Structure formats: C-alpha cells, structure tokens
Coordinates of all heavy atoms in Angstrom, one line a residue:
E1 N 1.3 -0.1 14.5 CA 2.5 -0.7 14.1 C 2.4 -1.6 12.9 O 3.2 -1.5 12.0 CB 3.2 -1.4 15.3 CG 4.5 -2.1 14.9 CD 5.1 -2.9 16.1 OE1 4.5 -3.0 17.1 OE2 6.2 -3.5 15.9
L2 N 1.4 -2.5 13.0 CA 1.1 -3.4 11.9 C 0.9 -2.6 10.6 O 1.5 -2.9 9.5 CB -0.1 -4.3 12.2 CG -0.7 -5.1 11.0 CD1 0.3 -6.1 10.5 CD2 -2.0 -5.7 11.4
F3 N 0.0 -1.6 10.6 CA -0.4 -0.9 9.4 C 0.8 -0.1 8.9 O 1.0 0.0 7.7 CB -1.6 0.0 9.6 CG -2.3 0.4 8.4 CD1 -3.1 -0.5 7.7 CD2 -2.0 1.6 7.8 CE1 -3.7 -0.1 6.5 CE2 -2.6 2.0 6.6 CZ -3.5 1.1 6.0
G4 N 1.5 0.5 9.8 CA 2.7 1.2 9.4 C 3.7 0.4 8.6 O 4.3 0.7 7.6
R5 N 4.0 -0.8 9.2 CA 4.9 -1.7 8.6 C 4.4 -2.3 7.2 O 5.1 -2.5 6.3 CB 5.3 -2.9 9.5 CG 6.1 -2.5 10.8 CD 6.3 -3.6 11.7 NE 7.1 -4.7 11.1 CZ 7.2 -5.9 11.6 NH1 6.7 -6.2 12.8 NH2 7.9 -6.8 11.0
F6 N 3.1 -2.5 7.2 CA 2.5 -3.0 6.0 C 2.6 -1.9 4.9 O 3.0 -2.2 3.7 CB 1.0 -3.3 6.2 CG 0.2 -3.6 5.0 CD1 0.3 -4.8 4.3 CD2 -0.7 -2.7 4.5 CE1 -0.4 -5.1 3.2 CE2 -1.4 -2.9 3.3 CZ -1.3 -4.1 2.7
S7 N 2.3 -0.7 5.2 CA 2.3 0.4 4.2 C 3.8 0.6 3.7 O 4.0 0.8 2.5 CB 1.8 1.7 4.9 OG 0.5 1.6 5.3
A8 N 4.7 0.5 4.6 CA 6.1 0.7 4.3 C 6.6 -0.5 3.4 O 7.3 -0.3 2.4 CB 7.0 0.7 5.5
L9 N 6.1 -1.7 3.7 CA 6.5 -2.8 2.8 C 5.9 -2.7 1.4 O 6.6 -3.0 0.4 CB 5.9 -4.1 3.5 CG 6.1 -5.4 2.8 CD1 7.6 -5.7 2.6 CD2 5.4 -6.6 3.5
V10 N 4.7 -2.3 1.3 CA 4.0 -2.1 0.0 C 4.8 -1.0 -0.8 O 5.0 -1.1 -2.0 CB 2.5 -1.8 0.2 CG1 1.9 -1.4 -1.2 CG2 1.8 -2.9 0.7
A11 N 5.1 0.1 -0.1 CA 5.8 1.2 -0.7 C 7.2 0.8 -1.3 O 7.6 1.1 -2.4 CB 6.0 2.4 0.3
R12 N 7.9 -0.1 -0.5 CA 9.2 -0.5 -1.0 C 9.1 -1.4 -2.2 O 9.8 -1.3 -3.1 CB 9.9 -1.3 0.2 CG 10.4 -0.4 1.3 CD 11.5 -1.1 2.1 NE 11.1 -2.5 2.5 CZ 10.5 -2.7 3.7 NH1 10.2 -1.7 4.5 NH2 10.2 -3.9 4.1
A13 N 8.1 -2.3 -2.1 CA 7.9 -3.3 -3.2 C 7.5 -2.5 -4.5 O 8.0 -2.8 -5.6 CB 6.9 -4.3 -2.9
T14 N 6.6 -1.6 -4.4 CA 6.1 -1.0 -5.6 C 7.1 0.0 -6.2 O 7.2 0.3 -7.4 CB 4.8 -0.2 -5.3 OG1 4.9 0.6 -4.2 CG2 3.6 -1.3 -5.0
S15 N 8.0 0.6 -5.3 CA 9.0 1.5 -5.7 C 10.1 0.7 -6.5 O 10.7 1.2 -7.5 CB 9.7 2.2 -4.6 OG 8.7 3.1 -4.0
A16 N 10.4 -0.5 -6.0 CA 11.4 -1.4 -6.6 C 10.9 -1.9 -8.0 O 11.7 -2.3 -8.8 CB 11.8 -2.5 -5.7
M17 N 9.6 -2.0 -8.1 CA 9.0 -2.6 -9.4 C 8.0 -1.7 -9.9 O 6.8 -2.0 -9.9 CB 8.4 -4.0 -9.1 CG 9.4 -5.0 -8.6 SD 8.7 -6.6 -8.1 CE 8.0 -6.2 -6.5
P18 N 8.4 -0.5 -10.3 CA 7.4 0.6 -10.7 C 6.5 0.1 -11.9 O 5.3 0.5 -11.9 CB 8.2 1.8 -11.1 CG 9.6 1.2 -11.4 CD 9.7 0.0 -10.5
S19 N 7.0 -0.7 -12.8 CA 6.1 -1.1 -13.9 C 5.0 -2.1 -13.4 O 4.0 -2.3 -14.1 CB 7.0 -1.8 -15.0 OG 7.5 -3.0 -14.5
R20 N 5.2 -2.7 -12.2 CA 4.2 -3.6 -11.7 C 3.4 -3.1 -10.6 O 2.6 -3.8 -9.9 CB 4.9 -4.9 -11.2 CG 5.7 -5.6 -12.3 CD 4.8 -6.3 -13.3 NE 4.0 -7.3 -12.6 CZ 2.9 -7.8 -13.2 NH1 2.5 -7.4 -14.3 NH2 2.2 -8.7 -12.5
R21 N 3.5 -1.8 -10.3 CA 2.9 -1.1 -9.2 C 1.4 -1.4 -9.1 O 0.9 -1.9 -8.1 CB 3.2 0.4 -9.2 CG 2.6 1.2 -8.0 CD 2.9 2.6 -8.1 NE 2.3 3.4 -7.0 CZ 2.9 3.5 -5.8 NH1 4.1 2.9 -5.6 NH2 2.3 4.1 -4.8
Q22 N 0.7 -1.0 -10.2 CA -0.8 -1.2 -10.1 C -1.2 -2.6 -10.1 O -2.2 -3.0 -9.4 CB -1.4 -0.5 -11.4 CG -1.3 1.0 -11.3 CD -2.0 1.6 -10.0 OE1 -3.0 1.1 -9.6 NE2 -1.3 2.6 -9.4
A23 N -0.4 -3.5 -10.7 CA -0.8 -4.9 -10.7 C -0.6 -5.5 -9.3 O -1.5 -6.3 -8.8 CB 0.2 -5.7 -11.6
I24 N 0.4 -5.0 -8.5 CA 0.6 -5.5 -7.2 C -0.5 -5.0 -6.3 O -1.1 -5.8 -5.5 CB 2.0 -5.0 -6.6 CG1 3.1 -5.8 -7.4 CG2 2.1 -5.3 -5.1 CD1 4.5 -5.2 -7.1
L25 N -0.8 -3.7 -6.4 CA -1.8 -3.1 -5.5 C -3.2 -3.8 -5.8 O -3.9 -4.1 -4.9 CB -1.9 -1.6 -5.8 CG -0.7 -0.8 -5.3 CD1 -0.9 0.7 -5.7 CD2 -0.5 -0.9 -3.8
S26 N -3.5 -4.0 -7.1 CA -4.7 -4.6 -7.4 C -4.8 -6.0 -6.9 O -5.9 -6.5 -6.4 CB -4.9 -4.6 -9.0 OG -6.1 -5.2 -9.4
A27 N -3.7 -6.8 -7.0 CA -3.7 -8.2 -6.6 C -4.0 -8.2 -5.1 O -4.6 -9.2 -4.6 CB -2.4 -8.8 -6.9
M28 N -3.6 -7.2 -4.3 CA -3.7 -7.2 -2.9 C -5.1 -6.6 -2.5 O -5.5 -6.7 -1.3 CB -2.6 -6.4 -2.2 CG -1.2 -7.0 -2.4 SD 0.0 -5.9 -1.7 CE -0.2 -6.4 0.0
G29 N -5.8 -6.0 -3.4 CA -7.0 -5.4 -3.1 C -6.9 -4.0 -2.5 O -7.8 -3.4 -1.9
V30 N -5.7 -3.3 -2.8 CA -5.4 -2.0 -2.3 C -5.7 -0.9 -3.3 O -5.2 -1.0 -4.4 CB -4.0 -1.9 -1.9 CG1 -3.6 -0.5 -1.4 CG2 -3.6 -2.9 -0.8
R31 N -6.5 0.0 -2.9 CA -6.6 1.3 -3.7 C -5.7 2.3 -3.1 O -5.7 2.5 -1.9 CB -8.1 1.8 -3.7 CG -9.1 0.9 -4.4 CD -10.5 1.5 -4.5 NE -11.4 0.7 -5.2 CZ -12.2 -0.2 -4.6 NH1 -12.1 -0.4 -3.3 NH2 -13.0 -0.9 -5.4
E32 N -4.8 2.8 -4.0 CA -3.7 3.6 -3.5 C -4.1 4.7 -2.4 O -3.5 4.8 -1.4 CB -3.0 4.2 -4.6 CG -1.6 4.7 -4.3 CD -0.7 4.9 -5.5 OE1 -1.2 4.7 -6.6 OE2 0.5 5.2 -5.3
R33 N -5.2 5.4 -2.7 CA -5.6 6.5 -1.8 C -6.1 5.9 -0.5 O -5.9 6.6 0.6 CB -6.7 7.3 -2.5 CG -7.3 8.4 -1.7 CD -6.2 9.4 -1.3 NE -6.6 10.3 -0.3 CZ -5.7 11.1 0.4 NH1 -4.5 11.1 0.1 NH2 -6.2 11.9 1.3
E34 N -6.6 4.7 -0.5 CA -7.1 4.1 0.8 C -6.0 3.9 1.8 O -6.3 4.0 3.0 CB -7.7 2.7 0.5 CG -9.1 2.8 -0.1 CD -9.8 1.5 -0.3 OE1 -9.2 0.5 0.1 OE2 -10.9 1.4 -0.8
L35 N -4.8 3.6 1.4 CA -3.7 3.5 2.4 C -3.5 4.7 3.2 O -3.5 4.7 4.5 CB -2.4 3.2 1.7 CG -2.2 1.8 1.1 CD1 -0.9 1.7 0.3 CD2 -2.1 0.8 2.3
A36 N -3.5 5.9 2.6 CA -3.4 7.1 3.3 C -4.6 7.4 4.1 O -4.6 7.9 5.3 CB -3.1 8.3 2.4
D37 N -5.8 7.2 3.5 CA -7.1 7.5 4.2 C -7.2 6.6 5.5 O -7.6 7.1 6.6 CB -8.2 7.2 3.3 CG -8.3 8.3 2.2 OD1 -7.7 9.3 2.3 OD2 -9.1 8.0 1.2
R38 N -6.9 5.3 5.4 CA -7.0 4.4 6.5 C -6.0 4.8 7.6 O -6.4 4.7 8.8 CB -6.8 3.0 6.1 CG -6.9 2.0 7.2 CD -7.0 0.5 6.8 NE -8.2 0.2 6.1 CZ -8.5 -1.1 5.7 NH1 -7.6 -2.0 5.8 NH2 -9.6 -1.3 5.1
A39 N -4.8 5.1 7.2 CA -3.9 5.5 8.2 C -4.4 6.8 9.0 O -4.2 6.8 10.2 CB -2.5 5.9 7.6
E40 N -5.0 7.7 8.3 CA -5.5 8.9 9.0 C -6.7 8.5 9.9 O -6.7 9.1 11.0 CB -6.0 9.9 7.9 CG -6.5 11.2 8.4 CD -5.5 12.0 9.2 OE1 -4.3 11.9 8.9 OE2 -5.9 12.8 10.1
I41 N -7.5 7.6 9.5 CA -8.6 7.2 10.3 C -8.1 6.5 11.6 O -8.6 6.8 12.7 CB -9.6 6.2 9.5 CG1 -10.3 7.0 8.4 CG2 -10.6 5.6 10.5 CD1 -11.1 6.1 7.5
I42 N -7.1 5.7 11.4 CA -6.6 4.9 12.6 C -6.0 5.9 13.6 O -6.2 5.8 14.8 CB -5.5 4.0 12.2 CG1 -6.1 2.8 11.3 CG2 -4.7 3.4 13.4 CD1 -5.1 2.0 10.6

C-alpha cells in the first residue's frame, strides 16, 4: 500500500510538472526504471 501510494504520488507530480520530471526524480534518489522493478519484486 505504501509503495503503491508513493508511486502514484510521484507519477502525479511529475506529470503535472513535466519539465521538472528528471529533477524531481533525481532529488528523491529515484531512477525511473527502479520504481517498476521494485514494485515487481515486492
């Protein structure tokens, strides 16, 4: 539940601010592919 809500929150924010997408992900320490990979592992 936590990871699903976190992923959805990140998706909403980066969709709303597409020009800042990579900056937001980088600031959080997120590599985009890792979100999907970690969800699959869980």
Side-chain angles (χ1 to χ4, degrees):
E1 180 184 358
L2 167 66
F3 196 80
R5 292 177 61 190
F6 171 76
S7 300
L9 177 61
V10 172
R12 289 200 307 273
T14 53
S15 296
M17 298 175 282
S19 65
R20 300 290 297 163
R21 179 182 182 84
Q22 288 305 319
I24 293 170
L25 293 177
S26 178
M28 299 179 73
V30 177
R31 293 185 178 89
E32 197 160 3
R33 180 59 194 167
E34 283 185 1
L35 282 174
D37 290 344
R38 180 171 287 183
E40 181 64 25
I41 291 170
I42 293 168

